[in-house]
């Protein structure tokens, strides 16, 4: 925590990498309270950004936009390597 706090003034944001849950949530919360720059955990926010980018790209490909479109999504806590076939 202290090292990140010391180097934060020269960065525009802090990306937390490879910190397991639930520790990552506490560390992120504490750093957000300490710092005046964005702090995010890539496993949470990185996935959300990629999914949102994919949605925007798909809408652009089919000639639609976010304001006039509806979408749904499915979330699984299970890793893809443990998913099952529906056949």
């Amino acid at each position: 925590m202290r090292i990140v706090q010391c180097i934060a003034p020269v960065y525009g944001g802090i990306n937390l990498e490879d910190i397991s849950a639930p520790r990552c949530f506490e560390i992120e919360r504490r750093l957000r309270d300490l710092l005046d720059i964005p702090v995010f955990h890539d496993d949470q926010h990185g996935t959300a950004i990629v999914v949102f980018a994919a949605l925007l790209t798909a809408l652009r490909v089919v000639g639609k936009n976010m304001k006039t479109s509806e979408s749904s999504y499915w979330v699984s806590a299970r890793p893809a390597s443990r998913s099952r076939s529906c056949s």
Side-chain angles (χ1 to χ4, degrees):
M1 300 293 267
R2 182 71 182 134
I3 291 171
V4 175
Q5 190 176 13
C6 290
I7 65 170
V10 298
Y11 288 95
I14 300 295
N15 177 34
L16 303 175
E17 178 76 37
D18 294 334
I19 302 172
S20 63
R23 289 180 43 233
C24 64
F25 302 115
E26 176 62 19
I27 292 169
E28 182 182 3
R29 186 195 61 74
R30 289 176 58 196
L31 286 172
R32 283 184 176 194
D33 290 345
L34 287 171
L35 307 176
D36 60 351
I37 60 174
V39 176
F40 68 97
H41 186 258
D42 73 323
D43 290 345
Q44 301 168 60
H45 302 99
T47 300
I49 290 167
V50 169
V51 169
F52 186 66
L55 175 62
L56 290 178
T57 301
L59 289 171
R60 185 175 30 213
V61 167
V62 297
K64 296 186 177 187
N65 67 54
M66 188 68 79
K67 289 182 180 181
T68 60
S69 300
E70 292 184 27
S71 63
S72 62
Y73 58 94
W74 178 72
V75 177
S76 173
R78 216 176 251 219
S81 62
R82 293 184 61 189
S83 63
R84 295 183 179 185
S85 172
C86 293
S87 57

